[in-house]
Amino acid sequence: MSELRHGNLTYRLRGLIFQVRNELKIGWPEEAYHQALLQLLLAEGIPVLSKPRRDLVHRGVEVHVFEPDLIVADKVVLELKALPFQTQFLGEQYAQIIHYLKFFDKDLGLLVNFAPDKVQIKRVLWDISALDLREDYRQFKTGVPEQDRNQLHRLRRHVLEIGRAYGLGYPESVYRQIIALEIRHHHIPCANDLQVPIRWRDTTMNTCETPLLLVDNRYLLHIRSMLESPTQYDFTRMQTYLSSLKLQFGLVINFGRKQLQIYGVNSG
């Protein structure tokens, strides 16, 4: 049986986490447990950073600020919670700590929930692997005109460049901003947070704000992350938006758990 990653350190951390809860008891907000654990770590002589803030910058623009709760001994990221009505950690909480592990280049995190009767501690591993690519353009059912084919190829190239530069593991909002910045850097118009008209029987009833990118006033980009693969809803919604905007082509892009995936979608 292989040894646990950073086993000695995490054994000590578990003991200190239980000590904090035993002394403070149940019912306090997250910050109280955070400060108590921080004091114990310092008293034990264990190096620790509390809420370190670092910016991700692309093309000179601040894209996102990452701030984990604790980084211990420059090895383990701790994300602390006090969630009394949660019996297990949710996907979004696993994703959150993976974002921190990715950005701070660590390979182990601990999710901790102090609120339940028994403290919940979950180990989260993160390993960087070579970027695997999957592409599927079968939904481009009709022939793609040369102008569109060339421009879609350019967009694909920029997405691959981002994938190779940043890898997997970030939130989709980060990839969306980076891709928009990169596309604009290459002098291609790109609009964020697109408003799509809601049409009913030849009448526009309202508009719907979406996270999609509109590129060159011709193509929609839908950016996802941390999924095994995009859902069917992602594809059908894209077709609805393309139809409403009277556009023909879009790309659904998933910076997934193990792959960068690019799918072509047309309006129907």
Side-chain angles (χ1 to χ4, degrees):
M1 182 175 178
S2 61
E3 294 184 0
L4 286 176
R5 188 173 298 183
H6 308 308
N8 291 336
L9 176 59
T10 54
Y11 179 81
R12 293 183 68 188
L13 287 173
R14 290 175 66 89
L16 296 177
I17 289 165
F18 291 135
Q19 184 177 340
V20 165
R21 232 301 288 281
N22 289 339
E23 293 185 22
L24 277 181
K25 309 300 183 186
I26 291 175
W28 301 110
E30 174 189 313
E31 185 62 18
Y33 299 108
H34 181 121
Q35 292 302 323
L37 182 56
L38 176 62
Q39 290 182 32
L40 273 183
L41 287 164
L42 293 172
E44 291 287 320
I46 300 174
V48 58
L49 295 175
S50 176
K51 298 185 178 180
R53 290 173 57 89
R54 294 184 189 172
D55 303 335
L56 188 155
V57 176
H58 184 78
R59 299 290 184 189
V61 177
E62 180 187 287
V63 172
H64 193 79
V65 178
F66 291 90
E67 186 180 295
D69 285 333
L70 299 167
I71 298 180
V72 180
D74 200 30
K75 293 179 180 178
V76 181
V77 174
L78 269 66
E79 191 60 22
L80 311 179
K81 307 292 180 185
L83 303 167
F85 305 111
Q86 187 170 303
T87 58
Q88 59 185 1
F89 293 108
L90 304 178
E92 63 194 43
Q93 289 151 359
Y94 284 102
Q96 180 187 26
I97 198 167
I98 286 173
H99 302 332
Y100 295 146
L101 292 170
K102 158 76 175 177
F103 185 70
F104 285 89
D105 194 24
K106 309 304 175 192
D107 62 3
L108 177 65
L110 297 181
L111 278 170
V112 182
N113 186 3
F114 283 100
D117 291 339
K118 183 178 180 181
V119 178
Q120 294 174 328
I121 304 174
K122 187 67 176 180
R123 296 169 61 90
V124 181
L125 303 179
W126 173 251
D127 292 299
I128 298 174
S129 57
L131 187 68
D132 186 24
L133 175 65
R134 178 183 178 186
E135 299 181 86
D136 186 343
Y137 302 103
R138 287 176 292 177
Q139 285 200 32
F140 286 164
K141 297 175 184 177
T142 58
V144 180
E146 183 177 359
Q147 177 186 350
D148 294 311
R149 186 168 61 250
N150 291 340
Q151 192 68 309
L152 287 167
H153 183 75
R154 288 183 65 191
L155 295 178
R156 171 191 177 275
R157 185 173 70 246
H158 296 320
V159 169
L160 292 180
E161 289 169 352
I162 296 301
R164 293 181 183 118
Y166 290 94
L168 307 176
Y170 286 133
E172 60 190 50
S173 59
V174 167
Y175 291 113
R176 190 180 305 121
Q177 292 184 66
I178 291 174
I179 288 173
L181 288 167
E182 189 66 18
I183 289 171
R184 294 188 194 114
H185 176 77
H186 292 278
H187 310 292
I188 304 172
C190 182
N192 298 73
D193 302 322
L194 184 64
Q195 296 280 346
V196 177
I198 304 172
R199 304 186 192 279
W200 169 252
R201 294 183 175 179
D202 299 323
T203 300
T204 300
M205 298 190 299
N206 207 331
T207 59
C208 173
E209 183 174 337
T210 78
L212 274 64
L213 302 178
L214 174 62
V215 179
D216 205 16
N217 294 311
R218 294 177 62 85
Y219 315 103
L220 292 185
L221 269 59
H222 185 24
I223 314 298
R224 304 303 312 272
S225 77
M226 302 297 292
L227 302 175
E228 289 293 340
S229 62
T231 66
Q232 184 59 41
Y233 182 70
D234 290 316
F235 295 108
T236 53
R237 181 171 62 165
M238 171 71 92
Q239 289 180 320
T240 298
Y241 293 161
L242 286 168
S243 178
S244 180
L245 291 164
K246 303 187 186 315
L247 302 175
Q248 191 169 1
F249 301 111
L251 297 176
V252 175
I253 301 160
N254 177 36
F255 291 86
R257 296 179 183 177
K258 297 180 180 179
Q259 285 182 323
L260 170 57
Q261 301 165 342
I262 307 174
Y263 300 87
V265 182
N266 68 10
S267 56

